[in-house]
Amino acid sequence: MRLVAAMSGGVDSAVAAARAVDAGHEVTGVHLALSRNPKSYRSGARGCCSIEDAGDARRAADAIGIPFYVWDMSDEFAEAVVDDFVSEYEAGRTPNPCLRCNEKIKFAAVLERAVALGFDGVVTGHYAQVRTGDEGLVEMHRAVDMAKDQSYVLGVLTQEQLRRSHFPLGDSAKPDVRREAEARGLQVASKPDSHDICFVADGDNAGWLSEKIGPRPGTIVDESGEVLREHDGAYAFTIGQRRGLRLGVPADDGKPRFVLDIEPVSGTVTVGPREQLLVDALDGVSPLWCTSAPTGEIDCTVQLRAHGAEHRARVSVEAEVVHVELLDPAEGIAPGQACVVYDGTRVVGSATISRTRRRSSSPA
């Protein structure tokens, strides 16, 4: 097969490309230029989009012995990921930009360009597994290394995309990947993992959003509606947040308070005790199924945040709305996050959480 290897400049994508070559594929390395101004993106080996990362990717491709190109995806990334991130926070939701990047850029725009150029698929360094299941359908499963499993942020992939996706690291542990990189002479063998949001250069999400959106004054109130203080923008808060509230006056019971609700129109942020964060039901919209949509009610598990716990659940789909009854209540779940559905280790699909609730109370 002729494959494009998406090379971020990190150790995982470099080893994935090398393994694809070892498997006999004709591999071309590609680094995605996602920023209109690369200097504004995170540097120091903490992101995946900086000038340093592009250089690391090129050196890795040279060491592996494959052609290397840089594809400019900055316009697509700005519209599909950065603009979406801003608009979701403006609407009082909490998005996952890495998941959106996988959906709209790495496995949509990149794959579309690769196929147009005559390639058969895309190789990435994600930790997940693809297998051929019943009736020839391609299934995605969790990685062997659960500590590195990335199937949650890949839960947006469709059957057509999975058929052209290759994840050579799915059966490996991260320490083994680093040792392999060192043995191959790859300079990125000891490079730290990327984390945080690549387009927020200093890691200060609230400050970055403030520059993009501007002041949107509102109030922080307790459950009774008493105003505790004013704030400059509800976008600086997320459901379940405890730190950075700067309330000054402690609760009557002396316990910490957490963000329970965000009303974006009025800018009202409601805080209260931790126990009020528990939900046992939620609805999701814009579902994407890896194979086919569930029929009837299914017993399964769901994951509600990256690296979060699995929760036993019952899931049903009605008119493109995914209804989830959580048998294991979850805490601090925010609209805008993804609900990824699993059958054992197999990823069934995902939906964007539109509301959360307690079955005995009103929606949040």
Side-chain angles (χ1 to χ4, degrees):
M1 285 188 179
R2 296 185 66 223
L3 301 176
V4 164
M7 303 184 71
S8 66
V11 61
D12 293 328
S13 60
V15 172
R19 288 187 179 182
V21 172
D22 290 348
H25 300 299
E26 181 183 342
V27 180
T28 297
V30 168
H31 180 77
L32 305 182
L34 300 180
S35 173
R36 292 167 176 163
N37 176 18
K39 291 183 180 180
S40 70
Y41 279 25
R42 182 178 300 284
S43 61
R46 287 173 59 83
C48 57
C49 317
S50 68
I51 294 175
E52 296 99 316
D53 294 318
D56 288 341
R58 182 179 297 277
R59 284 185 287 273
D62 289 343
I64 297 167
I66 58 175
F68 178 82
Y69 299 92
V70 175
W71 284 1
D72 184 356
M73 292 278 179
S74 57
D75 288 342
E76 295 92 333
F77 185 79
E79 179 180 352
V81 181
V82 180
D83 292 348
D84 175 79
F85 183 80
V86 174
S87 62
E88 284 293 281
Y89 266 102
E90 283 187 294
R93 296 185 287 268
T94 304
N96 185 317
C98 295
L99 188 144
R100 194 65 62 232
C101 183
N102 285 334
E103 176 188 359
K104 300 294 186 180
I105 305 299
K106 292 180 180 177
F107 295 92
V110 170
L111 188 56
E112 181 180 348
R113 181 181 294 189
V115 171
L117 291 172
F119 291 93
D120 299 302
V122 172
V123 177
T124 76
H126 287 97
Y127 285 78
Q129 301 184 84
V130 288
R131 306 172 187 168
T132 301
D134 296 337
E135 301 177 358
L137 293 175
V138 177
E139 300 175 349
M140 179 165 57
H141 289 256
R142 289 192 182 275
V144 169
D145 186 349
M146 284 297 293
K148 295 298 297 180
D149 174 59
Q150 293 174 294
S151 60
Y152 174 84
V153 295
L154 297 172
V156 292
L157 301 188
T158 64
Q159 181 66 192
E160 182 179 355
Q161 292 167 332
L162 284 173
R163 288 185 182 278
R164 295 183 179 272
S165 299
H166 300 260
F167 307 124
L169 306 188
D171 60 353
S172 300
K174 184 59 177 269
D176 295 333
V177 171
R178 289 199 181 278
R179 283 190 287 269
E180 180 178 335
E182 185 175 7
R184 290 179 180 273
L186 299 174
Q187 295 181 21
V188 292
S190 59
K191 183 176 180 178
D193 288 345
S194 61
H195 55 90
D196 298 328
I197 299 171
C198 67
F199 54 84
V200 181
D202 60 0
D204 180 8
N205 291 359
W208 186 89
L209 286 165
S210 179
E211 291 180 3
K212 297 294 182 181
I213 300 173
R216 299 280 181 85
T219 57
I220 299 179
V221 303
D222 63 18
E223 292 178 285
S224 69
E226 180 182 351
V227 176
L228 303 177
R229 78 170 181 89
E230 296 181 348
H231 63 73
D232 295 326
Y235 50 75
F237 304 93
T238 187
I239 302 297
Q241 179 178 338
R242 172 188 173 186
R243 299 184 183 277
L245 299 181
R246 295 184 284 113
L247 300 178
V249 179
D252 292 339
D253 59 7
K255 294 182 179 180
R257 286 179 285 197
F258 299 78
V259 175
L260 304 179
D261 185 53
I262 299 170
E263 210 299 304
V265 177
S266 66
T268 301
V269 176
T270 303
V271 298
R274 183 171 187 168
E275 55 266 25
Q276 293 300 317
L277 288 172
L278 283 176
V279 299
D280 56 14
L282 59 89
D283 293 334
V285 295
S286 304
L288 292 166
W289 305 109
C290 296
T291 49
S292 59
T295 57
E297 187 176 76
I298 64 170
D299 290 322
C300 58
T301 60
V302 296
Q303 186 173 330
L304 304 174
R305 58 166 64 92
H307 309 298
E310 279 189 272
H311 300 264
R312 293 176 303 135
R314 291 193 181 97
V315 169
S316 60
V317 183
E318 180 182 5
E320 291 299 295
V321 176
V322 180
H323 302 289
V324 180
E325 177 185 339
L326 296 172
L327 304 183
D328 301 318
E331 181 181 284
I333 305 305
Q337 294 174 324
C339 171
V340 178
V341 181
Y342 291 85
D343 176 12
T345 64
R346 180 176 67 88
V347 182
V348 178
S350 68
T352 301
I353 298 171
S354 58
R355 68 172 185 170
T356 63
R357 63 189 185 279
R358 292 185 174 184
R359 289 194 295 273
S360 61
S361 61
S362 61

